[in-house]
Amino acid sequence: MTSKLVWVAALFTLVSCTKQAVDNSPLNYVNPLIGTAPAATISAINHGHGTENNAQVIPSVTVPLGMTNWTPQTRATETKCVAPYYYNDSTINGFRGTHWLSGSCVQDYGSMSIMPLSGKLKCGTLERASAFTHNEEESTPYNYRVTLSDYNIQVEMTATRRCGMFRFKYVNEGEAHIVVNPNSDEGEGFTQILPRQNEIIGYNPVHRIYQGWGEKAGFSGYFVARFSHGFTNYGTYQDEDVFEHVTRISDLKNLGGFASFYVNKNEVIEVCIGTSFTSIEQARKNLDAEIGAKTFNEIKSDLKNTWESILNKVQVEGENEDDKTKFYTALYHAFLQPRTFNDVDGSYVSFSGGDKILNSGDRNYYVDFSMWDTYRASHPLFNLLMPNENTDMMYSLIDKAKQGGWLPIFPCWSSYTSAMIGDHAITTLADACIKNVIELNDEAYSYLLKNAFETPEDFAEYKNGKGRRALESYKKYGFVPLEDEVKESFHQQEQVSRTLEYAFDDFALSQVALKRGDNTNHELLTQRAFNYKNVYSAADSCVRGRYIDGRFTDEFNKLTRMPYITEGTPWQYTWYVPHDINGLMELMGGQEGFNNNLDNFHAAKQYWHGNEPGHQIPFLYNFSGEPWKTQKLVTEIMKQEYDSSVGGLSGNDDAGQMSAWYVFAAMGFYPVCPSVPEYVISGPHFDKITINQDNGNTLKIYAPGASSGKNYIQAYSINDKNVANNFLSHSDIVNGGILKFQMSDTPNKNWGREKNARPFSLSK
């Protein structure tokens, strides 16, 4: 009897420990639905933009950085600023293989949808839609499940890097159908039924709709859908016109194909879908290579293990469970873009409308860089946690330059674009180079210099997105004057913001020149890095539009949007001098003037966390002797602008930048100035953080009490050596070791105040 009780107790302990281990898995804290509902955060209320103030993310089932993401589809369009899924929608009309730029306001492209039905065949996306409830919806990075109530069908999906796999369980016996269609808003596309192979194939031509011109991008999204069940009927359709046993249809609006079956009660039909940007045959090869004979559960398990491995690169411990949900969901969102473009054998269509099929060899080739956003924190996060993948991303940028002749500014849809401002591919490459993640050879370096100093002679190439906008004005005057309205750009005017961003990009390139021993360009670019001063109005303590003759414009209100500022106000952009905060401080009359201006800025509720240009602002008090204010601000932003509800993101996530900000803030440091291998310290928000790095080194961060409200730094040490500086070097992280923070719920106004404690700045 006693031994039996011991055995039962041991079994109970084993089960409890196993359950605890499972519950502590970072995957259990990821909620892909966060950000799919309207936000009610401060930024969303004061400055909100985008459809219904959603963060424009979707519940993607995907491999990190995958080619095609899989999502429930509540809106069947590739229209700009309309994501495939919104939490507040009440019906699902398909399940999409999507190339949506996560958290963005660009348009989807090359996508396709699949929808199961029972009873009467209904092909149009509105007609076939089914009600669903969130009570019967489960979303994880590796699996999505939902019940389509109108049809009593249980849907489950999982994925590989280039393929999706679906299980459709038909609860009711009888007539069943599966509809497949390309999501073309252009009245284009192709679908073919291959009944002997149990396949439906097709493609959706890609258009660069976001730029407003709608040109063809020169490639398509191809798919091969393979069914586990033979067809009892099949055909194609256009709108609600059904063409039974007609196997091909193309270049019409709302076209697609269907397969019909007779199913028994609770019968399951599985569909595997291979995708490619190269050809239907390559989509089939991807399908055979990545899924082949594997079962649904095997694919799901593989994807689960992949996410488990990548999320475990950062292990956090603390009292607040909601914070873990926010952290690991942010990490998930940060790892969705850029996108794998090559097939399993390395094949991909050359950049910018090229008709060549190239090969990436033993590395992946990436597209869809939301560069205006992601250079700030996303790519620095990759340099820390995914340096091998970021290496491939950086060489993908260089490959685009080799294929198109210019380093791209904002490469989406495998195309040049002038979608945003700045030249931040330079900064992103510089950051990876300075942190020794990549090596830039002479050819690669020449493309960076070309962007900084040359403008395409062919106007058509310039209009198409090659080269910096308004570079000639910038070089001639040291700023972009208001007379140059930058008409050949999706974002026109915005002259002050361009000046500020080019000055920073010039600084980043100067660091590469310095590392390479190119003293001539280092000195020239360093001087250009001070161009931000040319649009600063001392009378206003703020940046302001300026004419060629030096006059500042009368069109000025520092609190409201101005046409010479990008997506913000002059006061918000004033702080965009990440490379020379000390120089900006001097313009404002020194440390006291800088702090007063920054205090007034926050008191006026000007800080807008929902958009990227200000993401460095909360950390700037570290430069001006008041780092406790940074610690307070970062804590408030993490609490007010992020939460664990479905409306928990305050603005467009923009390919993971909003989420990467949170990851850095939670770890306690932030890359204010990419291309400088240092981080500004703001203090950890977990009691213990373990960063497991690809080089085999581990960094452990201890901050007892941080998760329960002790968010002010009293002291900190690196490998038991006390440090007064309020910055952390990149080498301190990658070399591994132990950081210890002494935290409190009250500020220590003496820590980090020394002048030599300030992080890097161009002006000494």
Side-chain angles (χ1 to χ4, degrees):
M1 185 70 172
T2 303
S3 62
K4 186 174 182 179
L5 287 174
V6 170
W7 181 85
V8 170
L11 180 62
F12 178 79
T13 301
L14 177 62
V15 170
S16 298
C17 290
T18 302
K19 184 177 186 300
Q20 185 178 12
V22 171
D23 288 346
N24 287 335
S25 165
L27 265 176
N28 290 333
Y29 292 105
V30 178
N31 181 3
L33 295 173
I34 291 177
T36 63
T41 66
I42 291 175
S43 284
I45 293 170
N46 292 343
H47 309 282
H49 67 297
T51 303
E52 302 169 351
N53 284 342
N54 289 274
Q56 298 292 78
V57 296
I58 56 177
S60 290
V61 176
T62 184
V63 169
L65 313 174
M67 172 182 282
T68 301
N69 313 131
W70 302 90
T71 180
Q73 174 180 286
T74 65
R75 303 195 187 183
T77 180
E78 290 185 340
T79 301
K80 177 186 177 222
C81 293
V82 180
Y85 175 95
Y86 290 98
Y87 186 85
N88 283 358
D89 288 344
S90 58
T91 62
I92 288 174
N93 55 55
F95 299 88
R96 186 186 297 195
T98 177
H99 308 116
W100 177 253
L101 187 66
S102 177
S104 74
C105 201
V106 301
Q107 90 286 345
D108 204 349
Y109 68 91
S111 68
M112 56 81 62
S113 297
I114 183 169
M115 180 67 175
L117 307 91
S118 60
K120 181 183 176 182
L121 175 64
K122 292 179 285 187
C123 296
T125 51
L126 293 178
E127 292 78 11
R128 75 195 190 197
S130 170
F132 75 106
T133 68
H134 297 299
N135 291 332
E136 294 187 302
E137 179 184 44
E138 180 181 325
S139 179
T140 73
Y142 60 91
N143 187 228
Y144 175 87
R145 295 192 298 176
V146 72
T147 297
L148 301 176
S149 3
D150 289 0
Y151 303 118
N152 209 5
I153 299 173
Q154 297 172 6
V155 178
E156 189 173 6
M157 63 183 178
T158 189
T160 65
R161 184 174 291 271
R162 300 167 181 86
C163 306
M165 193 169 184
F166 293 82
R167 298 184 70 181
F168 301 130
K169 183 178 180 180
Y170 293 84
V171 176
N172 299 334
E173 180 180 1
E175 192 78 13
H177 317 276
I178 296 176
V179 178
V180 177
N181 62 278
N183 287 323
S184 173
D185 289 341
E186 307 298 312
E188 297 181 353
F190 167 80
T191 301
Q192 183 177 3
I193 317 297
L194 302 175
R196 292 185 179 180
Q197 298 172 223
N198 294 341
E199 289 182 353
I200 298 179
I201 64 175
Y203 61 79
N204 181 6
V206 175
H207 290 255
R208 299 164 58 192
I209 301 169
Y210 180 74
Q211 296 211 206
W213 303 316
E215 305 99 330
K216 292 184 177 181
F219 67 99
S220 298
Y222 299 92
F223 63 87
V224 173
R226 184 176 298 159
F227 296 72
S228 65
H229 195 296
F231 306 164
T232 59
N233 194 15
Y234 58 86
T236 54
Y237 71 89
Q238 195 262 324
D239 282 328
E240 283 302 303
D241 294 328
V242 174
F243 314 110
E244 291 191 18
H245 298 288
V246 174
T247 59
R248 297 169 64 97
I249 189 168
S250 63
D251 297 328
L252 295 168
K253 282 189 173 293
N254 305 320
L255 63 82
F258 68 91
S260 298
F261 319 87
Y262 185 88
V263 294
N264 296 316
K265 187 175 182 179
N266 293 324
E267 185 169 355
V268 173
I269 296 178
E270 293 186 343
V271 183
C272 303
I273 304 176
T275 67
S276 170
F277 294 116
T278 307
S279 67
I280 287 174
E281 186 53 40
Q282 284 295 137
R284 186 175 282 112
K285 287 181 180 179
N286 292 341
L287 180 57
D288 291 339
E290 292 189 350
I291 293 184
K294 288 185 178 180
T295 67
F296 184 92
N297 287 337
E298 287 174 329
I299 297 296
K300 183 171 72 171
S301 178
D302 288 346
L303 185 53
K304 182 179 181 180
N305 291 337
T306 296
W307 275 109
E308 190 84 53
S309 175
I310 199 166
L311 293 175
N312 268 316
K313 287 177 179 284
V314 186
Q315 298 168 338
V316 299
E317 301 175 33
E319 300 295 325
N320 193 313
E321 294 295 289
D322 269 2
D323 284 352
K324 294 176 186 176
T325 295
K326 290 189 287 186
F327 181 83
Y328 282 115
T329 301
L331 207 54
Y332 155 79
H333 279 142
F335 291 149
L336 295 179
Q337 252 91 42
R339 180 181 318 288
T340 300
F341 197 66
N342 60 288
D343 299 313
V344 289
D345 64 1
S347 299
Y348 69 93
V349 179
S350 55
F351 185 62
S352 187
D355 55 5
K356 293 181 180 179
I357 302 299
L358 304 178
N359 196 283
S360 62
D362 59 357
R363 60 179 175 84
N364 282 321
Y365 173 82
Y366 292 97
V367 296
D368 291 350
F369 290 79
S370 189
M371 199 59 74
W372 186 73
D373 311 289
T374 56
Y375 81 91
R376 306 166 195 269
S378 295
H379 284 286
L381 186 64
F382 294 153
N383 283 329
L384 272 183
L385 302 182
M386 304 173 70
N388 295 329
E389 289 82 353
N390 202 54
T391 296
D392 287 353
M393 295 174 200
M394 297 303 97
Y395 288 135
S396 295
L397 291 172
I398 297 299
D399 286 343
K400 297 179 200 320
K402 292 178 181 179
Q403 294 162 35
W406 295 81
L407 191 66
I409 301 295
F410 191 93
C412 281
W413 320 288
S414 191
S415 302
Y416 286 102
T417 80
S418 60
M420 293 300 298
I421 71 168
D423 191 7
H424 302 314
I426 283 180
T427 298
T428 308
L429 286 159
D431 193 51
C433 175
I434 298 302
K435 292 173 180 173
N436 297 315
V437 173
I438 61 167
E439 293 287 339
L440 291 175
N441 61 22
D442 290 347
E443 182 184 17
Y445 181 53
S446 71
Y447 287 118
L448 275 70
L449 293 176
K450 186 177 182 180
N451 267 41
F453 291 103
E454 299 179 33
T455 298
E457 295 181 3
D458 186 336
F459 181 78
E461 287 193 336
Y462 176 67
K463 184 177 179 180
N464 193 44
K466 295 182 179 182
R468 292 187 186 182
R469 310 294 91 181
L471 177 61
E472 296 309 311
S473 292
Y474 174 78
K475 290 193 301 181
K476 183 175 182 178
Y477 303 109
F479 64 98
V480 181
L482 295 178
E483 287 90 342
D484 189 341
E485 296 186 341
V486 201
K487 293 295 187 182
E488 294 75 35
S489 178
F490 182 80
H491 277 234
Q492 299 181 4
Q493 301 186 65
E494 305 182 2
Q495 298 92 335
V496 169
S497 295
R498 292 180 198 279
T499 300
L500 294 167
E501 297 202 13
Y502 289 162
F504 174 55
D505 293 324
D506 287 341
F507 166 79
L509 185 52
S510 78
Q511 300 306 289
V512 177
L514 179 64
K515 183 177 181 179
R516 292 177 55 85
D518 181 359
N519 294 327
T520 299
N521 281 315
H522 169 66
E523 292 175 6
L524 178 57
L525 289 162
T526 297
Q527 289 306 307
R528 280 179 27 174
F530 290 111
N531 281 347
Y532 72 89
K533 296 183 179 182
N534 296 331
V535 291
Y536 181 83
S537 169
D540 304 298
S541 294
C542 186
V543 295
R544 189 167 180 168
R546 195 173 186 183
Y547 295 103
I548 289 173
D549 63 8
R551 291 179 299 116
F552 286 105
T553 179
D554 293 332
E555 186 180 7
F556 175 73
N557 184 333
K558 68 195 301 183
L559 298 173
T560 61
R561 289 196 178 196
M562 292 286 116
Y564 46 81
I565 297 294
T566 300
E567 298 183 3
T569 70
W571 210 359
Q572 288 164 354
Y573 244 99
T574 295
W575 311 100
Y576 186 84
V577 190
H579 58 294
D580 195 23
I581 302 303
N582 288 339
L584 181 63
M585 198 179 308
E586 292 171 6
L587 291 179
M588 293 181 178
Q591 186 170 304
E592 183 178 357
F594 180 89
N595 284 333
N596 287 339
N597 198 2
L598 195 51
D599 288 345
N600 292 336
F601 172 83
H602 288 293
K605 301 188 183 304
Q606 272 281 291
Y607 180 66
W608 177 14
H609 191 69
N611 206 16
E612 281 72 20
H615 273 189
Q616 79 285 354
I617 294 175
F619 302 92
L620 298 187
Y621 285 111
N622 275 35
F623 294 79
S624 57
E626 297 182 335
W628 68 89
K629 290 183 179 178
T630 281
Q631 295 155 33
K632 180 176 184 290
L633 273 171
V634 170
T635 300
E636 289 175 350
I637 293 167
M638 292 176 69
K639 290 179 179 178
Q640 295 172 358
E641 304 296 348
Y642 301 82
D643 64 52
S644 58
S645 73
V646 290
L649 285 174
S650 63
N652 285 359
D653 198 41
D654 287 320
Q657 166 58 27
M658 194 76 61
S659 293
W661 188 99
Y662 186 90
V663 171
F664 271 117
M667 293 191 297
F669 51 93
Y670 187 80
V672 165
C673 186
S675 75
V676 172
E678 293 177 351
Y679 306 85
V680 173
I681 289 176
S682 55
H685 283 257
F686 291 98
D687 300 340
K688 181 182 177 183
I689 302 169
T690 303
I691 302 176
N692 301 303
Q693 300 173 80
D694 285 0
N695 62 9
N697 295 335
T698 299
L699 180 72
K700 293 185 182 294
I701 303 173
Y702 295 93
S707 69
S708 52
K710 294 183 177 181
N711 299 129
Y712 290 102
I713 301 171
Q714 307 300 299
Y716 98 99
S717 65
I718 301 176
N719 296 324
D720 292 326
K721 181 181 179 180
N722 290 331
V723 180
N725 292 338
N726 54 19
F727 65 89
L728 180 66
S729 74
H730 184 71
S731 61
D732 285 334
I733 298 175
V734 298
N735 291 337
I738 297 176
L739 304 184
K740 291 182 179 178
F741 287 84
Q742 180 183 338
M743 307 298 291
S744 173
D745 54 8
T746 57
N748 178 358
K749 296 185 178 181
N750 293 316
W751 182 82
R753 295 194 63 176
E754 300 88 347
K755 183 175 178 60
N756 65 1
R758 294 175 187 162
F760 174 88
S761 195
L762 188 59
S763 298
K764 300 298 184 182

